[in-house]
Amino acid sequence: DGGITQSPKYLFRKEGQNVTLSCEQNLNHDAMYWYRQDPGQGLRLIYYSQIVNDFQKGDIAEGYSVSREKKESFPLTVTSAQKNPTAFYLCATRQGEELFFGSGTQLSVL
Amino acid sequence: GEDVEQSLFLSVREGDSSVINCTYTDSSSTYLYWYKQEPGAGLQLLTYIFSNMDMKQDQRLTVLLNKKDKHLSLRIADTQTGDSAIYFCAESPSISNSGYALNFGKGTSLLVTP
């Protein structure tokens, strides 16, 4: 997992609540990504950021929001508009042709 | 996005070779990847191959690429119980409309039995 820290490891969301997943990196990589993983499914891209103060929607951005105020940090907010948020969330950074992943956050609905 | 296809499950005996197969759709992909995921963990990059190569070997791992058929395989020699995990195939997009995010298959669960 190198220099990518995701927290918390486990997170529970109540109905109608927004929750924020943290992703911090000390690798000095410009590009960062959020993926969602459901059991038996591949990884689906939620949002990505190629540089500070810029981010773009991925394939399944609805119900999610992000910010990129610092190079080191790319937090993901799961809003109440996301009706099926239970999943494993993975943050990644890129250097050249390689993608590096954090250890993930498991989000569950109470 | 484009589909990367993998078989979902493979079971082998300890000491045997494992071969995990993948087909991809973007014939212009620059790099093709194999990642390993253990339960409750992130993805670990095992190896990747440049699209103008047809084979890459790294210790127990051998990657074969058939660009004509858009087929990628990962062979693990002398498979050990510690190799039990989910293995993901991924392709890099030829056209960057997603910040060069990789496109992943659904993963192959490898079970190694004693």
Side-chain angles (χ1 to χ4, degrees):
Chain A
D1 298 337
I4 303 170
T5 303
Q6 288 190 244
S7 61
K9 180 74 173 169
Y10 302 96
L11 187 58
F12 297 91
R13 193 190 89 166
K14 294 180 183 177
E15 201 72 35
Q17 186 183 40
N18 293 353
V19 292
T20 297
L21 285 61
S22 170
C23 178
E24 301 281 329
Q25 57 114 347
N26 62 5
L27 301 170
N28 201 35
H29 293 168
D30 286 313
M32 298 185 74
Y33 308 81
W34 275 105
Y35 285 90
R36 170 178 170 143
Q37 184 181 19
D38 294 279
Q41 301 295 314
L43 277 66
R44 292 184 290 168
L45 183 66
I46 307 173
Y47 266 98
Y48 63 95
S49 168
Q50 297 194 76
I51 199 165
V52 175
N53 293 321
D54 183 64
F55 50 83
Q56 303 295 330
K57 293 181 179 180
D59 300 319
I60 56 164
E62 187 174 349
Y64 300 97
S65 66
V66 293
S67 63
R68 188 84 188 276
E69 297 175 2
K70 298 185 302 180
K71 189 175 188 177
E72 301 79 16
S73 179
F74 191 39
L76 173 74
T77 296
V78 184
T79 75
S80 57
Q82 173 49 248
K83 298 305 180 189
N84 184 23
T86 296
F88 191 54
Y89 290 86
L90 288 158
C91 176
T93 67
R94 178 174 58 82
Q95 182 177 40
E97 63 275 9
E98 295 186 36
L99 228 62
F100 302 88
F101 284 85
S103 55
T105 293
Q106 175 64 49
L107 175 61
S108 302
V109 177
L110 289 176
Chain B
E2 302 287 343
D3 283 343
V4 176
E5 301 285 344
Q6 302 178 239
S7 54
L8 294 182
F9 187 74
L10 176 66
S11 179
V12 299
R13 289 191 182 276
E14 191 173 18
D16 288 350
S17 292
S18 308
V19 179
I20 303 171
N21 294 301
C22 168
T23 56
Y24 60 97
T25 53
D26 188 348
S27 58
S28 299
S29 287
T30 308
Y31 291 94
L32 294 136
Y33 302 78
W34 285 104
Y35 280 85
K36 175 183 180 183
Q37 184 181 37
E38 298 187 4
L43 274 66
Q44 172 194 354
L45 177 63
L46 288 177
T47 187
Y48 61 95
I49 188 168
F50 189 49
S51 59
N52 70 351
M53 298 170 65
D54 52 19
M55 187 181 92
K56 181 179 180 180
Q57 188 157 3
D58 184 1
Q59 300 182 337
R60 292 192 297 125
L61 304 179
T62 302
V63 177
L64 296 178
L65 175 60
N66 181 329
K67 201 171 179 183
K68 173 177 167 291
D69 295 337
K70 289 182 275 188
H71 183 266
L72 183 74
S73 69
L74 174 70
R75 177 177 180 271
I76 305 173
D78 186 26
T79 314
Q80 303 297 307
T81 54
D83 294 324
S84 293
I86 302 175
Y87 291 80
F88 289 93
C89 171
E91 62 178 357
S92 61
S94 56
I95 298 173
S96 177
N97 56 0
S98 62
Y100 296 101
L102 301 186
N103 187 28
F104 288 85
K106 293 184 178 181
T108 298
S109 290
L110 174 65
L111 176 65
V112 182
T113 56

